[in-house]
Amino acid sequence: KAGVTQTPRYLIKTRGQQVTLSCSPISGHRSVSWYQQTPGQGLQFLFEYFSETQRNKGNFPGRFSGRQFSNSRSEMNVSTLELGDSALYLCASSLDPGAGANVLTFGAGSRLTVL
Amino acid sequence: DQQVKQNSPSLSVQEGRISILNCDYTNSMFDYFLWYKKYPAEGPTFLISISSIKDKNEDGRFTVFLNKSAKHLSLHIVPSQPGDSAVYFCAASGPSSNTGKLIFGQGTTLQVKP
């Protein structure tokens, strides 16, 4: 069974640019969540999508957005990049939430460097 | 406001000994707790979890203890092995949350010396 796949794995952008990251969840998983990991900050929740709808949103500015497609694949976008957006962006998928408390399966992440 | 805290950034133990990683939380509405392990260049991997209705959960060498009155949980690894060297994150969700939103601590880097 394939795991959570994130692309690209590494990318470098400059301030002011925008970036789109992609996530393919485990087959059958309908919930996709995004997290940002920076040194010393742990993982911070960005947002969650379920059935193409944003169900939860973290405390990030509107420059961070996402969407989910009918096949559960998800993308997140960051516009007007700032130096502080340099981080590892992790995508996680999980089964139908009605199954109980969630165990998230994470991808390897997309490492974004903003210059 | 850091609702989940791991106050020890790092921990070093000898192979074969016990590793104890600690985590504190402030939100009494959390009802499910998880531990994840992360190696460099990989995503976090689920290790073990515990519901707030329990005070202990065991899986092989890994045991998680929950003290609700103290809002504290700990992960015990016995015996520790060099392959356990990684960053460990505790996470919490709730109340009665069945979503993908977890609140993570900052992580503790465990080094197990041969």
Side-chain angles (χ1 to χ4, degrees):
Chain A
K1 195 174 188 181
V4 178
T5 304
Q6 290 189 245
T7 57
R9 289 293 312 277
Y10 302 92
L11 66 166
I12 300 174
K13 294 285 187 178
T14 56
R15 281 182 298 173
Q17 287 188 310
Q18 73 165 13
V19 66
T20 299
L21 309 177
S22 179
C23 172
S24 293
I26 291 174
S27 178
H29 284 195
R30 296 164 61 193
S31 168
V32 174
S33 302
W34 289 89
Y35 289 80
Q36 180 196 66
Q37 185 188 6
T38 53
Q41 292 295 318
L43 282 72
Q44 295 187 294
F45 175 77
L46 281 155
F47 29 63
E48 179 197 12
Y49 287 87
F50 177 75
S51 293
E52 303 178 63
T53 301
Q54 186 180 88
R55 180 166 59 183
N56 279 297
K57 190 177 187 306
N59 189 27
F60 278 81
R63 300 185 297 107
F64 293 81
S65 63
R67 59 177 177 169
Q68 186 180 34
F69 303 95
S70 58
N71 61 358
S72 292
R73 192 177 71 83
S74 177
E75 288 181 348
M76 69 162 282
N77 184 78
V78 188
S79 62
T80 320
L81 284 166
E82 301 176 358
L83 296 179
D85 297 332
S86 294
L88 180 66
Y89 290 88
L90 292 158
C91 168
S93 72
S94 58
L95 288 168
D96 187 312
N102 267 329
V103 174
L104 306 184
T105 302
F106 284 87
S110 292
R111 171 73 64 183
L112 170 65
T113 301
V114 182
L115 302 176
Chain B
D1 177 28
Q2 193 74 28
Q3 297 186 70
V4 177
K5 294 182 181 179
Q6 294 175 255
N7 292 317
S8 297
S10 63
L11 174 68
S12 181
V13 300
Q14 208 66 35
E15 181 179 6
R17 307 296 292 270
I18 184 172
S19 295
I20 300 176
L21 296 95
N22 295 303
C23 180
D24 297 299
Y25 62 95
T26 58
N27 191 338
S28 58
M29 300 300 285
F30 288 148
D31 59 6
Y32 195 68
F33 303 89
L34 309 90
W35 285 93
Y36 280 83
K37 177 172 70 174
K38 186 180 186 299
Y39 293 117
E42 296 183 12
T45 303
F46 170 74
L47 201 53
I48 192 170
S49 62
I50 188 167
S51 164
S52 61
I53 62 174
K54 296 184 176 181
D55 55 18
K56 177 183 174 181
N57 189 27
E58 195 171 354
D59 183 2
R61 297 186 296 115
F62 302 92
T63 303
V64 56
F65 296 91
L66 176 62
N67 183 333
K68 284 179 290 184
S69 61
K71 294 190 180 66
H72 177 83
L73 66 155
S74 61
L75 174 68
H76 293 208
I77 307 174
V78 183
S80 301
Q81 299 173 353
D84 296 329
S85 297
V87 180
Y88 289 78
F89 293 97
C90 68
S93 70
S96 301
S97 173
N98 291 328
T99 74
K101 180 179 180 180
L102 298 178
I103 308 300
F104 283 85
Q106 306 96 310
T108 297
T109 300
L110 172 65
Q111 182 186 27
V112 180
K113 297 179 180 178

